[in-house]
Amino acid sequence: MLDVGKWPVFALLPPEELRLIRQACVFGSAANEAIYVTVNDEVFALGTNCSGCLGLGDMQSTIEPRRIDILCGKKIVSLSTGTGPHVVIATADGEVYAWGHNGYSQLGNGTTNHGLTPALVSTNLITKRVTEVACGSHHTIALTTEGEVYAWGYNNSGQVGSGSTANQPTPRRVSSCLQNKVVINIACGQLCSMAVLDNGETYGWGYNCNGQLGLGNNGNQQTPCRIAALQGINIVQVACGYAHTLALTDEGFVYSWGANSYGQLGTGNKSNQAVPTLINMDKERMVEVAACHTSHTSAAKTQSGQVLMWGQCRGQVVASPHLTHFTSTDDVFACFATPAVTWHLLSVDGDDYLTVAQSLKREFDSPEISDLKFLVDGKCIHVHKALLKIRCEHFRALLNETDEEAIEIHQFSYLVYRAFLGYLYTDTINLPPEDAIGLLDLATYYRESRLKRLCQETIKRGITEENAITLLSAAVKYEARDLEEFCFKFCVNHLTAVTQTQAFADMDHDLLKNFISKASRYGAFRN
């Protein structure tokens, strides 16, 4: 199930709020703006609100989600954003709303005034039902149920397909070669537009200096032009990156063309391609391609659900498709794209299906169906005998010898013991470094080597000048050699501050003697 919590902009939302999200879009120059729809069809926005792009009626940034009243109850079927940013949506009723940056009339209302609240885009669309919208940097295109394309906004390179380079202040039908043809899919790069017809033909128009229109040249196109190199190849979906294009065929092959300085074409090199080039996937049939006009990242999904990525991935060049552990192309953009915006409107699966891991996590310390409880410091922790036997050798031996329904624990604190049992249910620990010392003691006692490693990692991440000596003492006590070395080096590197702490003053005599001797050999006291 898609986890919207992967996007940092949602990190401060409480889990109960995240669970209500059914659709979401993350956008903005630093992926710091977001709009989402809940199970109740309420629409919320949060983030920096550049140019009023959150649609809240003002330009105030907000860390707390605020409701966009005008959109509540309207079922959103398509949403796209530009880099101004401006936001455009299509509703289930076929209406189009736009708001945000409008310096180039990309809101389609005939003005260049920024729109602080969602406004209906009506000119030439009032009798049409729009099913899909796509935004370039500062232009917008929309697809109707009849297969017509309308475009408006910035047009310096011909990206609205009108035959000129004058900006288009209101929606205008893109005709020319598309007259009497039925379009089924649209996409926008920064300054170009693409359309796929019901017969599998693909057309492009707008900026083409990197060959992103796939026409075999680098000249801009002011009207739609068919990609001749794809003659006889049936395209079903296109996706545009910043200056590159991906296309999926009905047989599950992927073609790419355009800019390639980051390996975003997946051809194994960094050479631009002005004509569609078949990517060698070495894998099974592809069912989806993904790209976003704000990044140089590419992704695709196979029929069995495997996800591949290539291009600019966290600043690195990945020139050939790389198999990931993700289950959704959205995860590629959340974790690897720069900025980490969404490439389309996210849909979160609304069913209540939980994985085995999620189900176990939910049942930890739940009294409802537990058959064993631990009593620690006068508090109860509810668990399941079968799971403990499966997960821990100590419990397998202990529980085979006893039928008790309650076991008292005296040698460990409630916090530490609960963290240990929680680890058996979730494979993770969530403790501050000082408490992880107690868990390290337990992990040593129960011979849980992986837990011991996790505790050591937690301690390393949380070391400070104040607690360094305490952590060093613990590492020595529990014979965690790697951790001991880490803490020792930290102490030496911050020697002046560490020696002024209370923990240093209270240090065990033998440990102090060993520390000074070792630090001396390390060269800590040389002038």
Side-chain angles (χ1 to χ4, degrees), residues 4 44 54 62 69 71 95 112 200 272 314 326 349 369 393 404 407 465 473 492 505:
V4 292
F44 290 88
L54 297 185
T62 174
D69 292 324
L71 296 182
E95 293 180 329
T112 52
N272 290 4
R314 281 235 185 107
F326 298 134
D349 193 356
I369 56 168
E393 284 298 325
E404 289 183 49
I407 299 173
E465 292 164 349
S473 307
V492 169

Side-chain angles (χ1 to χ4, degrees), residues 344-506:
H344 65 164
L345 180 63
L346 299 179
S347 274
V348 181
D349 193 356
D351 67 25
D352 292 326
Y353 173 79
L354 294 175
T355 63
V356 172
Q358 288 166 334
S359 300
L360 292 179
K361 186 177 181 179
R362 193 164 75 165
E363 290 305 322
F364 171 58
D365 203 10
S366 166
E368 199 177 338
I369 56 168
S370 73
D371 54 3
L372 176 66
K373 62 185 175 188
F374 285 94
L375 304 170
V376 194
D377 298 340
K379 298 176 191 167
C380 282
I381 308 167
H382 298 271
V383 289
H384 306 78
K385 290 178 185 175
L387 184 132
L388 265 52
K389 286 182 184 179
I390 291 167
R391 295 281 286 150
C392 176
E393 284 298 325
H394 166 80
F395 286 130
R396 181 171 294 201
L398 175 74
L399 296 174
N400 279 341
E401 294 170 6
T402 178
D403 287 330
E404 289 183 49
E405 290 181 6
I407 299 173
E408 278 197 64
I409 300 293
H410 299 290
Q411 67 267 52
F412 301 106
S413 70
Y414 171 78
L415 186 74
V416 164
Y417 215 74
R418 192 175 192 281
F420 169 52
L421 295 172
Y423 160 77
L424 297 178
Y425 279 73
T426 65
D427 273 328
T428 59
I429 60 170
N430 184 17
L431 283 175
E434 291 80 2
D435 294 317
I437 293 172
L439 193 56
L440 180 62
D441 179 20
L442 182 149
T444 309
Y445 181 77
Y446 283 161
R447 299 196 177 126
E448 287 286 334
S449 54
R450 182 177 177 272
L451 179 58
K452 197 169 172 177
R453 281 199 308 276
L454 275 181
C455 291
Q456 291 182 47
E457 285 165 21
T458 299
I459 292 166
K460 284 180 183 180
R461 283 198 304 269
I463 195 167
T464 65
E465 292 164 349
E466 278 298 317
N467 67 16
I469 291 294
T470 310
L471 301 183
L472 174 65
S473 307
V476 172
K477 181 179 176 183
Y478 302 124
E479 299 178 353
R481 302 282 178 239
D482 176 51
L483 180 62
E484 180 186 340
E485 193 61 24
F486 176 87
C487 293
F488 170 74
K489 283 181 180 169
F490 183 92
C491 290
V492 169
N493 290 335
H494 299 264
L495 195 59
T496 306
V498 166
T499 53
Q500 291 170 355
T501 62
Q502 188 60 44
F504 187 82
D506 299 339

